[in-house]
Amino acid sequence: MRNLRGKSRTMAAVVALGLAGALSACGSAAPAGNSASAATSQLSGTVTVFAAASLKAPFTQLAADFETRNPGTKVTLSFAGSSDLVTQITQGAPADVFASADTKNMAKLADAKLLDGTARNFATNVLEIAVPPSNPASISTFADLAKPGVKVVVCASQVPCGAAADTVEKAAGVTLSPVSEESSVTDVLGKITSGEADAGLVYVTDVNGAGSKVKGIPFDQSGEAVNTYPIATVGSSRNKELADAFIAMVTGAEGRKTLSEAGFGAP
């Protein structure tokens, strides 16, 4: 009887151990399921970003970094004046993300119910006078831009850099007579680097990006027209997950660092 009782206890222990092992195995299967779920949520596909012309350098860098960190993704960039981009999006252009050089143009899309969620401010910028390296018109102040014979180029008023130029004109009490009004700040810069203009009003970031091709001349009134840059997911986006991820990068620590190195201020 004692032997039978001993064998019964042994069998019970074996069964208990077996059940414990089975339960342990079931428990360890959960993380594997979570891992598989994480893998299926990996970002993929293409995100099309419409961005203000002044963002070309930092956004090109951020797009490359985004693709490197997210294999299987592609960032397609389209740069132009913010007002032109708004027109394109309004007319149905396939954009996932819009980054404007001012809040006014972003508000146009918000008012038209063409955004997904709320736009986020991510940078600021100010104007600076840009002249050829030799400074042929001897420009040293904002008032010098109004001297007779000086060929000045600015952005058109509907473009953020043009609206900012209008503001600083009023602040300085100086009326300019530009020989050309361009649709983007990069077009203004092009007129200067090609020798077609003596001076132009561009962003400080454009002067930084141009390097030795131009000379930058700061002026006191620039602080009267600080442009704030917002970014948002477009409502018609076909890849909102990817769009939101790109925006998170732009507004995050890496984006702030890249924008700061390009000369942009904090929002």
Side-chain angles (χ1 to χ4, degrees), residues 108-151:
K108 292 177 182 178
L109 292 186
D111 292 343
K113 310 297 183 185
L114 294 176
L115 297 180
D116 183 62
T118 304
R120 299 175 62 183
N121 296 333
F122 66 94
T124 54
N125 213 347
V126 294
L127 295 179
E128 189 167 74
I129 300 168
V131 299
S134 61
N135 194 4
S138 300
I139 303 296
S140 60
T141 67
F142 188 84
D144 288 340
L145 298 178
K147 292 190 304 185
V150 175
K151 294 182 289 184

Side-chain angles (χ1 to χ4, degrees), residues 28-47:
S28 64
N34 291 340
S35 177
S37 176
T40 57
S41 66
Q42 183 176 0
L43 296 173
S44 64
T46 299
V47 59

Side-chain angles (χ1 to χ4, degrees), residues 1-70:
M1 290 293 292
R2 289 179 180 175
N3 289 340
L4 287 174
R5 289 174 181 172
K7 288 179 181 180
S8 295
R9 293 193 187 100
T10 301
M11 289 297 294
V14 170
V15 170
L17 287 172
L19 287 171
L23 290 172
S24 176
C26 290
S28 64
N34 291 340
S35 177
S37 176
T40 57
S41 66
Q42 183 176 0
L43 296 173
S44 64
T46 299
V47 59
T48 300
V49 179
F50 279 25
S54 52
L55 291 166
K56 185 172 183 178
F59 267 41
T60 299
Q61 179 61 54
L62 287 171
D65 293 343
F66 186 86
E67 291 175 349
T68 298
R69 294 193 176 192
N70 300 281

Side-chain angles (χ1 to χ4, degrees), residues 199-227:
L201 288 174
V202 300
Y203 294 116
V204 63
T205 53
D206 296 295
V207 173
N208 290 347
S212 61
K213 294 180 180 179
V214 300
K215 177 182 178 182
I217 301 172
F219 58 97
D220 294 338
Q221 297 83 1
S222 64
E224 299 294 326
V226 179
N227 277 23

Side-chain angles (χ1 to χ4, degrees), residues 149-173:
V150 175
K151 294 182 289 184
V152 180
V153 180
V154 298
C155 290
S157 294
Q158 67 268 25
V159 184
C161 57
D166 292 343
T167 299
V168 296
E169 277 188 70
K170 293 175 183 177

